[in-house]
Amino acid sequence: MGDVTVTGKARLAVGSVELQTFLTVKSPLGDKEEGLGTGAWDLALTQKARTRVGRAVLTGMLGYTWRGDDAAIKGQRVDYGDAFAWMAAADAQVWLPRLWLGLGLSGLVQQATEIDGQSQHDRLATVDLTPEARYFVTERFAVAVGVLVPVATSYGIDGDDPRKPTLRVGAFSQF
């Protein structure tokens, strides 16, 4: 077994806005010397807000992940670097009663990993645009198709390859 992650969620309704707070703890239970996990604790705090305006749902989210103590792997100190993520989205029911169209904008800033204090030059900063269509086959089951379109990418190195749009297809169920 490697790392184990546990998330707790609290919900609060304030008028027409639903607030959700997520606290995530990653515990290094595996033997990092054998490649089973990172060997470091993570603590993440995410705040999400949703509100309905007519036939549309607006969502915003901010999250920060603090990477705990540096892991010691094969005698080397590894600092995985903290991460900050954000997202804003609008979804609206259109035409057919079970068809929803959405548009999201999201970003990530991941600090570079350091091994024994030396940067691995893997810092990452992204901004992505995601149009999506969801069709609810039943009240609680939907199929979705969307495209993740990279708007901006910075790897923190010279000669990095640009990211390409990615097709996303999936199904989800509420329970």
Side-chain angles (χ1 to χ4, degrees), residues 7-10 17-24 44-51 57-65 83-91 103-109 168:
T7 300
K9 176 171 82 169
V17 177
E18 177 187 12
L19 300 173
Q20 297 178 10
T21 302
F22 301 86
L23 180 62
T24 302
L45 181 63
T46 304
Q47 184 62 54
K48 181 178 180 181
R50 291 179 61 138
T51 189
V57 176
L58 306 177
T59 306
M61 191 162 51
L62 293 171
Y64 186 79
T65 301
F84 172 76
W86 59 272
M87 182 272 298
D91 296 289
L103 184 62
L105 186 65
S106 60
L108 169 74
V109 177
R168 296 172 17 156

Side-chain angles (χ1 to χ4, degrees), residues 38 117 165:
T38 61

Side-chain angles (χ1 to χ4, degrees), residues 11-127:
R11 296 172 120 180
L12 175 66
V14 179
S16 64
V17 177
E18 177 187 12
L19 300 173
Q20 297 178 10
T21 302
F22 301 86
L23 180 62
T24 302
V25 177
K26 183 193 71 162
S27 173
L29 296 181
D31 183 350
K32 61 186 177 276
E33 295 296 329
E34 296 298 320
L36 298 173
T38 61
W41 289 84
D42 286 358
L43 182 63
L45 181 63
T46 304
Q47 184 62 54
K48 181 178 180 181
R50 291 179 61 138
T51 189
R52 183 178 282 272
V53 178
R55 292 169 41 170
V57 176
L58 306 177
T59 306
M61 191 162 51
L62 293 171
Y64 186 79
T65 301
W66 172 75
R67 309 289 186 195
D69 297 333
D70 297 350
I73 301 174
K74 303 277 185 203
Q76 296 181 312
R77 301 295 296 168
V78 180
D79 176 359
Y80 290 99
D82 296 351
F84 172 76
W86 59 272
M87 182 272 298
D91 296 289
Q93 179 186 1
V94 295
W95 302 304
L96 302 172
R98 295 180 182 213
L99 179 64
W100 286 73
L101 297 181
L103 184 62
L105 186 65
S106 60
L108 169 74
V109 177
Q110 171 73 48
Q111 295 176 349
T113 302
E114 291 184 358
I115 299 178
D116 287 336
Q118 297 294 314
S119 175
Q120 300 305 297
H121 304 289
D122 60 350
R123 181 184 61 81
L124 177 64
T126 63
V127 176

